[in-house]
């Protein structure tokens, strides 16, 4: 399983990424080790706001790409109304291939 997630940083910015282990990845972002994303090196990670499960890396990467094209306002709505993935991306992805965790 792969997960696509939106992480909130202490400055209230949002970071989107993929992983096979949400707990480990959050820990890597917070601890700022070798595997930390460039973005979270300068923006302190706080918590994972929302995550979607998909069966493979291709699907997770596709969702990550499309989420990254959204505005911050749209991402905030996606977090608040977790069921609205189809509202923003139904023309780009098959929503049934993703499950909120």
């Amino acid at each position: 399983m792969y997960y696509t997630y939106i992480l909130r940083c202490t400055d209230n910015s949002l970071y989107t990424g993929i992983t096979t282990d949400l707990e480990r990845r959050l820990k890597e972002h917070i601890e700022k080790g070798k595997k930390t994303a460039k973005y979270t090196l300068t923006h302190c990670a706080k918590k994972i706001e929302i995550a979607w499960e998909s069966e493979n890396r291709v699907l997770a990467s596709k969702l990550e790409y499309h989420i990254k094209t959204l505005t911050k306002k749209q991402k905030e709505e996606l977090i608040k109304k977790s069921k609205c993935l189809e509202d923003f991306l139904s023309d780009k992805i098959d929503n049934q291939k993703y499950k909120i965790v």
Side-chain angles (χ1 to χ4, degrees), residues 54-72:
S54 53
E55 65 184 46
N56 60 52
R57 184 180 179 95
V58 171
L59 287 172
S61 294
K62 186 173 185 175
L63 181 58
E64 176 192 29
Y65 170 79
H66 289 298
I67 289 174
K68 285 182 174 187
T69 67
L70 299 176
T71 64
K72 184 169 192 280

Side-chain angles (χ1 to χ4, degrees), residues 7-11 29 32 39-46:
L7 175 117
R8 185 169 307 276
C9 297
T10 55
D11 64 357
H29 283 299
K32 298 186 180 198
Y39 188 83
T40 56
L41 280 173
T42 57
H43 299 78
C44 298
K46 187 162 86 174

Side-chain angles (χ1 to χ4, degrees), residues 12-98:
N12 207 35
S13 63
L14 299 172
Y15 171 82
T16 305
I18 67 167
T19 187
T20 56
D21 184 332
L22 288 168
E23 287 182 34
R24 174 190 48 80
R25 191 65 182 128
L26 178 59
K27 186 177 175 184
E28 289 171 353
H29 283 299
I30 291 171
E31 292 179 351
K32 298 186 180 198
K34 288 183 180 180
K35 294 188 177 186
T36 301
K38 282 183 182 180
Y39 188 83
T40 56
L41 280 173
T42 57
H43 299 78
C44 298
K46 187 162 86 174
K47 66 179 180 174
I48 292 178
E49 289 283 1
I50 191 167
W52 295 268
E53 181 181 86
S54 53
E55 65 184 46
N56 60 52
R57 184 180 179 95
V58 171
L59 287 172
S61 294
K62 186 173 185 175
L63 181 58
E64 176 192 29
Y65 170 79
H66 289 298
I67 289 174
K68 285 182 174 187
T69 67
L70 299 176
T71 64
K72 184 169 192 280
K73 183 179 178 182
Q74 289 172 319
K75 291 176 193 175
E76 293 287 2
E77 275 193 58
L78 200 53
I79 292 166
K80 284 181 193 171
K81 303 173 191 174
S82 55
K83 303 251 188 241
C84 72
L85 189 62
E86 59 272 6
D87 293 346
F88 295 114
L89 302 173
S90 64
D91 59 332
K92 297 176 174 104
I93 61 167
D94 180 355
N95 302 316
Q96 294 179 356
K97 294 189 178 190
Y98 303 96

